[in-house]
Amino acid sequence: MAPPVDPAASLPASPADRPQVVFDLGGTWFRRGVRRPDGVLEQVTRRPAVNYLSHPGFSQTELREGLVEYVLTETRRLAPPVPGHSPRVSISMGAALNGRTGVILNAGPLWGPDSQPFDLLGALAARRGDVTWFVTNDVTALATYFAQQPTYRQAGKISVMTVSTGIACRTIDTATRTVPLHPRRGIQGEIGHVPIDFHAAGDPLRLRCDCGADAHLNAYCSGRGIPRVMARLGQVFGQPDWLDPALLHEPGLWARVLGRGLDEREPAAERLLDAVVKPLARSVISLLTVDPEVARIVVTGGVPRTLGRPYRDAMLRNLTELGLYLVSDDDPSYFTDLVAFADAQADAGLQGAALAADASVTGSPEATAPHAPVLLAHRSRRMEEVRRTAYGVTVTDSGAAKLLVESLVARGSGSRPVLVVDAAVSEAHGPVLVAELEQAGFRPVLRSVAAGEDLKSWPSLAALLEAFEGIGVSRTQHPVVAVGGGALLDAVGLAAGLYRRGVPYVRVPTSLVGLIDAGVGAKVAVNAFGHKNRLGLFYPPAAVILDVAFLRTLPHPYMVSGVAEAIKIAVVQDPDLYRLLEAHAERLSDPDFYRTEHGVELVARAADATMSSLAGNLWEADLERPLDFGHSVSPVIEVAAGSGTTHGAAVAADMALSLEIGRQRGVTPPRLADRVIDLIRRVGLPTHSGSVSAARLFAHLGETAGHRGGDQRFPLIHRLGHHPVFVSDITAGEVAGACSRLSSAWGRA
């Protein structure tokens, strides 16, 4: 009998030579299929997209989960697990996303006006760590697809504009298949979100974009915007059929109605088409003005495809009327030759996702310029590496041990995990963790340490590193598991990041601060030289497990301390979380509250809000961070000699100071300032520090500026749940006045 065949043994060595599961997830349709290495697509299907219009009863979280579940289900169907083989899945995503990190920045067409950042890669990797995931913007996928077509391959540089559920544009180098991106946010060509003045019947018309902002290009000229314009102008233009509410909800109906009017040469239909095309023509003119190397403009998408020739004629007519200064005047066919209206195949997004993924795997071919000068004495090269990270964050109410085992097994971690546990926690939970790991076949090493702020010191860090050395911690056999409060997570995370240039570690926070704040980010640090968090790294964990059961034995002062961080993130990110905090203010420091549905929801919402705020800026390239609310002067309050102030109490005093200064500047509405300060008091937190003078607080702002690019970047709140206003001109007098008013008010309370 012939020996059994290992399915993985016949797989090509190069990832680009293996089949891929591909998805094209747009605002109207979800498509999927399998792309063979020869480019043939198989098993292609489509279904209506799960979006906020088709599922109005779904929350944003439910819409996200629906998308993730769809991708995972179809991946299991199309790529069953094969031992030793990592399936490849490439996704074209109809959303503004950071092309360097893959984080979705805004998905208004899918998730509505309140769309928040979402780490799709992280969510998928947390569920299927055996899959090689790739995600790109849908217009980038289309641009990659067109760049490979013979018609455009020799053009050098082309721009692809898609007008569909949303509007966007990408410029791509056809030789290297590279799309230039913003160095920090990783975006390009989101022209759909350029504000415009739209006129079609004399007076300007203001409509809201899917992203929630007013008067964006998308709001008027996209497949969702045009029917809204028709509905608003139907009566003015004498077109009663434009007023049918079904035009706003039934895909394609508006195009049939408008198309019929265009076929019959109705003046109202032609006038409206001209109005919604003109802003796009202006965008093309602007693009060609600033980037004259663009050799072809490809216009594609559902809107030009459905409206056909009338749309093409309207675009060329508007381009000719606008003209490209000193270029098109003497060439009547200039725009006709330059602009191509391409009816992309339905599978173009699927093909583009696969091609973009292949380019990221194999690297782009170097383009050699003809007659390039030869440099004999010097040679300059650029090294570029994009930092990408993904880790799962799981919330439970009593399953930390089980989830830890599942996490280590899923990641193929070594057999000897090193558990560094807060001594107070170890007595109650250490044996359970060890027993669960041993039952799963692991041989854990348990180390109990005295936690607290003293652990965040150089001697304690050195002791942790010596312990790692004594155990012989390796990158593959000894995953480090940090179980404790925020201070322990910081110290152990820094030790893991330093030892052997980084060993994997898992965070299991046991304090409220850790569950909603310190546990879910990427920063690790210890205190040094009299300053808080002076020595540290950005070192993300491999996984985070948030178990609210740990809160049941947490001392009262530390419960209250954690509530401050929940208030912080609610004020700058999540109004619904803030209302939940207000509704249960008297119970927030009661461990029994976190046995309830509302308590678990609070932790989950706070952690999710923190991650949403961090998404796209995990490495803090953007120094105006909403999470800095409450963290401008709190470090000096917390480390002040003899203050005995918890982290949360210091954050609360900092928040109150910011609210009071914002009130005096007219930035923070007085009712909002009073509302938040009242909540701070209701939960038992202070609104000022009696141990640190106003002069010292102001002096510390200079220290803070050292972390924020030389500017104070002091956050002031102007609206609940929104990005703060950052200012850098806070004066000593403002700080002193705010402290005096808060002190007097606290004394009367």
Side-chain angles (χ1 to χ4, degrees):
M1 177 181 290
V5 177
D6 180 0
S10 60
L11 294 172
S14 171
D17 294 332
R18 300 204 308 258
Q20 296 181 60
V21 178
V22 285
F23 291 88
D24 184 14
L25 307 177
T28 304
W29 299 102
F30 285 173
R31 293 180 172 86
R32 59 81 164 160
V34 176
R35 185 180 187 272
R36 299 186 335 209
D38 61 5
V40 174
L41 282 170
E42 301 175 328
Q43 304 182 62
V44 176
T45 64
R46 77 171 187 176
R47 53 162 288 181
V50 178
N51 61 51
Y52 78 107
L53 293 176
S54 62
H55 294 72
F58 279 30
S59 68
Q60 185 173 157
T61 299
E62 289 171 324
L63 292 172
R64 290 174 172 178
E65 290 175 351
L67 183 144
V68 170
E69 194 57 45
Y70 167 74
V71 172
L72 290 170
T73 299
E74 296 304 308
T75 297
R76 284 192 294 270
R77 180 177 290 119
L78 297 175
V82 176
H85 169 51
S86 175
R88 295 181 67 210
V89 178
S90 303
I91 301 170
S92 164
M93 185 71 201
L97 60 82
N98 187 326
R100 300 182 182 279
T101 66
V103 171
I104 295 173
L105 302 175
N106 187 289
L110 281 168
W111 302 330
D114 296 323
S115 175
Q116 298 294 317
F118 179 56
D119 185 0
L120 177 62
L121 281 178
L124 293 170
R127 299 277 295 276
R128 284 291 301 273
D130 62 311
V131 174
T132 300
W133 300 99
F134 176 84
V135 63
T136 191
N137 171 268
D138 59 341
V139 191
T140 298
L142 272 178
T144 307
Y145 167 80
F146 281 113
Q148 297 307 295
Q149 303 306 306
T151 304
Y152 309 108
R153 192 177 298 165
Q154 303 304 317
K157 183 186 289 187
I158 65 172
S159 286
V160 176
M161 176 185 291
T162 179
V163 188
S164 191
T165 304
I167 300 172
C169 181
R170 293 292 183 275
T171 297
I172 187 169
D173 185 310
T174 61
T176 62
R177 281 185 283 169
T178 55
V179 175
L181 299 173
H182 187 276
R184 177 171 54 82
R185 299 298 280 175
I187 62 172
Q188 185 218 116
E190 292 296 339
I191 61 172
H193 299 286
V194 173
I196 66 171
D197 291 324
F198 184 85
H199 298 262
D203 295 331
L205 180 64
R206 293 190 66 81
L207 295 177
R208 175 155 290 194
C209 178
D210 279 327
C211 75
D214 288 334
H216 281 185
L217 187 71
N218 275 337
Y220 308 96
C221 309
S222 69
R224 288 214 180 130
I226 295 175
R228 294 169 184 167
V229 174
M230 293 170 67
R232 293 287 292 273
L233 299 181
Q235 187 171 1
V236 176
F237 282 6
Q239 299 290 318
D241 53 342
W242 291 6
L243 304 177
D244 184 353
L247 267 65
L248 300 173
H249 304 290
E250 183 178 332
L253 178 59
W254 69 266
R256 292 194 293 273
V257 172
L258 181 60
R260 184 169 60 248
L262 293 169
D263 291 341
E264 296 173 2
R265 305 299 298 271
E266 292 179 357
E270 293 179 341
R271 185 178 171 189
L272 183 133
L273 178 62
D274 188 72
V276 299
V277 166
K278 187 180 291 293
L280 289 165
R282 290 196 182 101
S283 296
V284 171
I285 295 297
S286 297
L287 170 64
L288 295 171
T289 301
V290 300
D291 194 349
E293 291 183 344
V294 172
R296 296 298 298 274
I297 301 254
V298 182
V299 179
T300 187
V303 173
R305 179 177 64 250
T306 305
L307 296 180
R309 184 61 178 263
Y311 192 94
R312 174 185 179 276
D313 291 346
M315 176 67 79
L316 292 175
R317 182 174 62 254
N318 274 279
L319 287 170
T320 301
E321 290 175 357
L322 291 169
L324 185 61
Y325 179 64
L326 298 179
V327 174
S328 65
D329 295 345
D330 299 326
D331 186 355
S333 64
Y334 176 76
F335 290 110
T336 303
D337 296 337
L338 179 77
V339 181
F341 292 82
D343 185 7
Q345 299 177 4
D347 62 8
L350 298 174
Q351 293 279 10
L355 290 168
D358 288 347
S360 74
V361 170
T362 62
S364 301
E366 293 186 2
T368 304
H371 311 298
V374 179
L375 302 180
L376 299 178
H378 302 281
R379 185 179 184 187
S380 176
R381 297 289 299 275
R382 175 174 175 166
M383 176 67 184
E384 183 173 347
E385 176 72 16
V386 177
R387 289 187 294 181
R388 302 186 68 170
T389 188
Y391 53 92
V393 178
T394 308
V395 181
T396 180
D397 60 358
S398 61
K402 181 180 179 181
L403 288 173
L404 177 58
V405 169
E406 292 177 356
S407 176
L408 296 178
V409 170
R411 285 163 178 75
S413 300
S415 62
R416 300 199 64 200
V418 178
L419 277 64
V420 183
V421 187
D422 182 326
V425 175
S426 180
E427 184 175 349
H429 301 280
V432 177
L433 291 170
V434 169
E436 192 84 23
L437 287 165
E438 288 179 340
Q439 187 174 353
F442 291 97
R443 293 179 295 137
V445 179
L446 179 64
R447 288 288 185 272
S448 297
V449 296
E453 201 66 15
D454 288 344
L455 186 60
K456 293 183 60 169
S457 66
W458 182 258
S460 297
L461 176 66
L464 284 171
L465 294 169
E466 288 174 2
F468 288 178
E469 180 68 14
I471 295 169
V473 169
S474 67
R475 289 179 171 178
T476 58
Q477 293 302 311
H478 300 84
V480 175
V481 182
V483 186
L488 182 141
L489 299 180
D490 266 357
V492 176
L494 180 56
L498 291 172
Y499 193 74
R500 293 185 183 274
R501 298 191 182 93
V503 294
Y505 78 112
V506 176
R507 286 179 179 164
V508 185
T510 61
S511 67
L512 189 54
V513 171
L515 285 165
I516 65 179
D517 183 72
V520 299
K523 293 195 293 188
V524 292
V526 297
N527 307 330
F529 314 120
H531 296 282
K532 189 170 176 63
N533 297 327
R534 179 62 81 187
L535 303 175
L537 299 170
F538 290 96
Y539 190 60
V544 180
I545 299 169
L546 307 179
D547 189 350
V548 297
F550 288 116
L551 300 179
R552 295 166 190 168
T553 57
L554 192 68
H556 180 268
Y558 296 100
M559 290 294 299
V560 179
S561 180
V563 174
E565 292 289 357
I567 294 174
K568 173 204 73 177
I569 190 60
V571 169
V572 300
Q573 188 75 24
D574 189 344
D576 290 334
L577 172 60
Y578 189 86
R579 287 186 277 272
L580 182 64
L581 291 167
E582 280 188 322
H584 301 280
E586 282 68 31
R587 298 194 62 197
L588 297 178
S589 60
D590 179 1
D592 288 337
F593 172 66
Y594 298 92
R595 296 174 182 263
T596 70
E597 180 181 350
H598 290 305
V600 176
E601 180 190 1
L602 188 153
V603 170
R605 287 193 72 97
D608 185 64
T610 299
M611 288 186 288
S612 294
S613 186
L614 291 170
N617 194 35
L618 193 63
W619 318 111
E620 296 187 5
D622 185 350
L623 297 176
E624 293 188 351
R625 304 172 59 252
L627 295 183
D628 281 339
F629 177 53
H631 291 72
S632 296
V633 298
S634 58
V636 72
I637 298 174
E638 189 175 352
V639 302
S643 69
T645 305
T646 64
H647 175 73
V651 168
D654 191 319
M655 290 191 292
L657 181 70
S658 173
L659 292 163
E660 189 61 31
I661 292 176
R663 184 210 306 267
Q664 294 304 311
R665 286 199 170 198
V667 175
T668 306
R671 291 183 61 184
L672 177 58
D674 290 339
R675 182 181 176 187
V676 179
I677 290 174
D678 179 64
L679 178 60
I680 291 172
R681 291 173 176 172
R682 285 173 62 194
V683 301
L685 286 163
T687 56
H688 79 292
S689 171
S691 59
V692 181
S693 68
R696 189 174 177 190
L697 293 179
F698 178 73
H700 186 75
L701 279 180
E703 171 70 23
T704 299
H707 296 286
R708 300 178 183 175
D711 294 316
Q712 292 173 348
R713 289 188 167 90
F714 191 84
L716 301 177
I717 305 303
H718 69 102
R719 187 177 175 188
L720 188 65
H722 284 68
H723 198 284
V725 174
F726 289 87
V727 299
S728 295
D729 58 350
I730 300 295
T731 66
E734 285 180 299
V735 174
C739 287
S740 177
R741 289 187 295 273
L742 290 167
S743 177
S744 299
W746 181 251
R748 294 194 303 269

